Amino acid sequence: MRARVSWLVMLAVFLAFPPFQRERVEEMGFGGIFRIERMRADSALTQALRSRWDAEATAFVFPWGHIIPSLEDVSWITGLRIYGRPVSGYTYPCYHDLAERLLELSVERRSSLVPRVPLWESLGLFDVGKVAGESEDEHLDRLTRVSQRELASEPGAQADLDLRRFLMLFLGRLLIATRGNAVHYRFLPLLEDLAEVGGYAWGVAFLAHQFDSLGASEKQTLISGFFPFLQVWAYLHLPALGRGDLARPGLVPVARRWDSRRDSRNLEDQLERLQEAIDSYLHLDVVWQPYLGKGDEGQPWLVQARPYFGRPGHSFRGLHDTTDWRERAKEQINNWEHKGKAVKSTATTDDAYLQAYALKYGGKVYKSARHQVDVTGEIASLRALLYSAVQDQEAAQRQTAELRRELERVRGTGAGGASSSRGAGGSPSLLEAQLAGAVLRAEESQRQLEERERDLQLTTEHAMDLQGERDRLRGEVQTARSERDQLRIQAEAAKAQVAEATKDLAALQVKRSPGD
C-alpha cells in the first residue's frame, strides 16, 4: 500500500509539472517509469519469489538451477539507463547544510533522514489521502490540480528547487526506496548539479538495490523499491505461473504492456499454490530470452545499453562464469546498496557445475509452504545433466551443419576452377580434404552426444521410476502403519474390555454363595 501511495503521489507531481520540467525528467532517463500504468501489487508473487532467493549466489534457486534478473531486464522493463557514471558516494552523518541550501528544508542536527510528509508539502501536497467515494483516477486528478498551483511555471531557481524535491522523493520513496516512512538524503549530493543527473547509471543502482532487498533478513516478506519490475520480470520469464495479463502489446517500456491478474483467493492460499508451482516449474517452460529479435524502435535508451546485454548468469549453463558479469557490473553498482556475492565455483565445465549444484541444493530447492517434498540430489543432477546434454547436442548439430555448408562451398568453388584458398597458399583439394575430415569428426561427436543424451534420458527415466516405486512403497508402508495403529487401538480396547470382564468376574466370585 505504501508503494502504491508513493507511486500515485509521484505521478501526480510529474503530471503537475509544466512541459519544460517534464522534458527535464525525460532527459534524465526517468520518463519511462511515469508512462507505466498503475499496477496492482502482487504480494503473493513477490513473497513466493523471495522465498527462493539464495543470498550466497545472489540468484533465485529453482529445481533445475539459478535464474536472476539482469541489466537487460532493467533496461527493457523500466527504461532506466544502465550505462553512465556509477551511482556512488559517501553517506554523511548529517545533511543539514545541504538540505537547507539545495532543498530549503530543515534537517535535525546529526540526522540523515527526513519524514516524507514535509517533502510532499513542499510540492503542494498537504493531504494525499483518498476522499470517500473517490476513484483512483479522480484521486490522481485532484492531487495533480493541487500540486500544480504550488509549482513554478517558468524556468529558474524555484523550478530547480521543485525538481530537486521531486527527485528526492522519487529516488528515496519509489525507485530505490528503503523500509520505513523516512527518506534518506544520501542521493542529495548527486542532485546538486541537475544537468549531471542523467549521466548516472540509475538502472544498475536499482538492480543492485533489488538484490540487496531480496537478500535482507528472512523475517522480511516483501521487498522495497519499484515493485512492478519484479512482477513483470516474472510474467516474461515464468509465464506458466499465470500472474500477468498482456493488456497493451507494443508499448514501451515493456512494463507498460502488463497488468497484474486478479486473484480472489486469500494471500495464504495464493502463496501456497505459487510456491508449489515454483517447486514443479519445468525448465522448458522458462523463457530465457523474451526480448530476442525485438527492435529498438521508440526506445533510444536501448542503443547504448546493448553492450551490457547478454552477460552470463541468466541460465544455469555457464553460471560458474558469471564473475566477469559481476565485476563489470560492480563498476556501476552504488556502494550504498550492493552487498551480494558473485557466484563462486571451481568447476571448469557445465556438467561439473551442475553436479556441484545438485549436491549442494538437492532437495532443498523444493520448499512448499506447508510440506517438504523429498527429492534426491541424484535425480536433480541427472535432470541438469540431461538439459546440458541436449544443449550440447544442439550446438554440435549446428556446428556440423555449418561445416557441411563450408565443404559444399569449397567443392563448388573447386569445380568452377576458382579457389579463394589459392591466394592463401593452399589448394582446393587440400582444403576440401581438411573440411571433409572436420565434418566426419563433427558427425562422430554429434553421434556420441546423441548416445549420451539417450543414456541420460534412460537413466533419468529409470531413476524417476525407482523414485515412483519408492513413493508407492512408502505409501504402502504408511497404509500398513495406519492399519497397525488401528489394530493397536482395537487391541487396547479389547484389553480394556477383558480387564473390565475380569473385574466383574472377580466381583461375582466374592458375592457367590458357598453352594454355587
Side-chain angles (χ1 to χ4, degrees):
M1 179 62 69
R2 192 158 47 215
R4 280 187 63 84
V5 170
S6 297
W7 193 357
L8 186 72
V9 170
M10 298 314 305
L11 182 58
V13 178
F14 176 76
L15 295 175
F17 271 147
F20 79 90
Q21 287 281 57
R22 290 200 295 270
E23 288 178 8
R24 296 173 80 181
V25 176
E26 290 277 357
E27 290 171 358
M28 291 173 179
F30 302 135
I33 296 291
F34 295 102
R35 288 193 293 273
I36 297 172
E37 298 291 329
R38 299 192 303 280
M39 188 178 296
R40 186 180 63 87
D42 191 340
S43 299
L45 177 60
T46 304
Q47 289 188 42
L49 288 173
R50 195 185 187 286
S51 69
R52 296 302 183 273
W53 184 257
D54 182 72
E56 181 182 355
T58 321
F60 294 111
V61 177
F62 277 68
W64 31 258
H66 294 104
I67 182 171
I68 62 172
S70 69
L71 293 175
E72 184 175 9
D73 291 312
V74 172
S75 191
W76 279 95
I77 293 173
T78 68
L80 291 170
R81 294 170 183 170
I82 61 172
Y83 51 87
R85 296 189 300 280
V87 181
S88 62
Y90 295 99
T91 302
Y92 300 103
C94 180
Y95 291 80
H96 181 274
D97 296 337
L98 270 177
E100 284 195 343
R101 180 165 59 87
L102 299 179
L103 300 177
E104 294 186 5
L105 292 176
S106 60
V107 179
E108 293 181 7
R109 291 289 182 181
R110 304 186 63 80
S111 174
S112 58
L113 301 174
V114 64
R116 69 188 186 283
V117 175
L119 276 172
W120 285 351
E121 293 176 349
S122 70
L123 295 167
L125 297 174
F126 293 90
D127 182 12
V128 300
K130 198 174 181 181
V131 178
E134 191 177 45
S135 68
E136 280 201 8
D137 289 338
E138 291 171 342
H139 186 199
L140 177 63
D141 289 341
R142 178 172 61 82
L143 292 180
T144 302
R145 290 194 305 271
V146 170
S147 180
Q148 199 167 27
R149 293 197 293 263
E150 301 294 329
L151 299 176
S153 58
E154 298 292 337
Q158 183 60 43
D160 289 349
L161 189 63
D162 292 341
L163 186 54
R164 281 198 193 91
R165 292 169 174 173
F166 169 81
L167 291 174
M168 278 298 302
L169 265 174
F170 171 69
L171 294 171
R173 291 301 313 145
L174 184 64
L175 190 64
I176 312 179
T178 53
R179 294 182 179 89
N181 294 322
V183 179
H184 200 290
Y185 273 121
R186 58 186 172 174
F187 297 113
L188 187 54
L190 304 181
L191 305 180
E192 182 166 5
D193 187 350
L194 292 172
E196 297 293 323
V197 174
Y200 292 101
W202 294 104
V204 182
F206 168 75
L207 183 60
H209 178 72
Q210 291 284 299
F211 288 169
D212 181 66
S213 181
L214 285 165
S217 170
E218 293 183 358
K219 294 181 181 179
Q220 297 286 349
T221 56
L222 300 179
I223 63 170
S224 56
F226 192 58
F227 66 85
F229 168 74
L230 194 59
Q231 292 183 195
V232 175
W233 177 85
Y235 304 158
L236 293 169
H237 293 276
L238 309 171
L241 293 179
R243 302 299 290 187
D245 289 319
L246 185 61
R248 295 166 291 276
L251 296 182
V252 295
V254 170
R256 295 182 65 194
R257 306 175 186 179
W258 293 88
D259 284 337
S260 176
R261 187 172 295 176
R262 292 194 173 275
D263 194 329
S264 58
R265 294 170 296 189
N266 61 60
L267 178 61
E268 184 179 359
D269 190 20
Q270 291 184 55
L271 181 58
E272 181 177 0
R273 290 173 182 268
L274 272 171
Q275 288 178 321
E276 289 176 349
I278 290 175
D279 288 342
S280 57
Y281 203 94
L282 298 177
H283 169 266
L284 296 178
D285 288 340
V286 179
V287 180
W288 295 104
Q289 296 177 302
Y291 321 109
L292 191 64
K294 307 294 184 183
D296 298 333
E297 186 177 356
Q299 303 171 91
W301 60 86
L302 289 176
V303 178
Q304 290 178 270
R306 286 197 179 276
Y308 298 94
F309 294 172
R311 299 298 184 198
H314 231 63
S315 166
F316 66 84
R317 287 182 54 77
L319 188 61
H320 52 272
D321 194 31
T322 57
T323 303
D324 174 66
W325 181 86
R326 295 287 181 203
E327 292 303 319
R328 293 291 298 275
K330 210 170 185 181
E331 300 171 4
Q332 301 287 328
I333 291 174
N334 74 68
N335 59 5
W336 295 305
E337 298 295 329
H338 183 59
K339 298 177 183 177
K341 299 178 181 178
V343 178
K344 297 178 181 179
S345 175
T346 57
T348 56
T349 66
D350 284 344
D351 288 356
Y353 167 76
L354 293 169
Q355 285 177 330
Y357 175 90
L359 288 173
K360 178 173 182 178
Y361 292 98
K364 285 194 246 181
V365 295
Y366 295 87
K367 298 177 185 174
S368 181
R370 297 180 181 173
H371 63 275
Q372 182 91 8
V373 181
D374 183 20
V375 179
T376 64
E378 287 78 8
I379 291 182
S381 178
L382 284 170
R383 283 176 175 169
L385 291 173
L386 177 59
Y387 291 137
S388 178
V390 169
Q391 294 191 9
D392 289 342
Q393 193 271 335
E394 291 174 352
Q397 190 175 5
R398 289 193 297 270
Q399 186 179 14
T400 303
E402 186 177 346
L403 286 170
R404 283 173 180 161
R405 286 194 297 271
E406 182 65 17
L407 178 58
E408 292 300 322
R409 187 188 68 79
V410 171
R411 283 175 176 170
T413 302
S419 173
S420 60
S421 63
R422 286 188 191 276
S427 64
S429 59
L430 178 60
L431 181 58
E432 184 178 336
Q434 291 173 340
L435 283 171
V439 169
L440 289 174
R441 289 191 296 273
E443 289 174 344
E444 178 61 25
S445 298
Q446 186 177 342
R447 281 193 295 271
Q448 292 176 0
L449 285 170
E450 288 173 351
E451 291 176 2
R452 178 169 176 259
E453 181 183 340
R454 284 194 297 269
D455 291 342
L456 282 170
Q457 181 70 43
L458 291 172
T459 305
T460 304
E461 291 174 358
H462 179 61
M464 294 180 70
D465 289 340
L466 289 176
Q467 183 185 2
E469 182 67 16
R470 183 196 63 181
D471 292 341
R472 184 185 66 79
L473 291 172
R474 282 184 175 177
E476 292 178 356
V477 169
Q478 187 64 32
T479 302
R481 286 176 178 171
S482 178
E483 292 175 352
R484 182 197 63 188
D485 293 340
Q486 289 294 328
L487 289 172
R488 183 179 294 165
I489 292 171
Q490 293 174 7
E492 289 175 353
K495 187 177 179 181
Q497 290 176 354
V498 169
E500 186 67 24
T502 303
K503 182 179 178 181
D504 291 342
L505 180 59
L508 288 173
Q509 288 175 342
V510 171
K511 294 178 181 178
R512 71 177 181 177
S513 62
D516 290 338

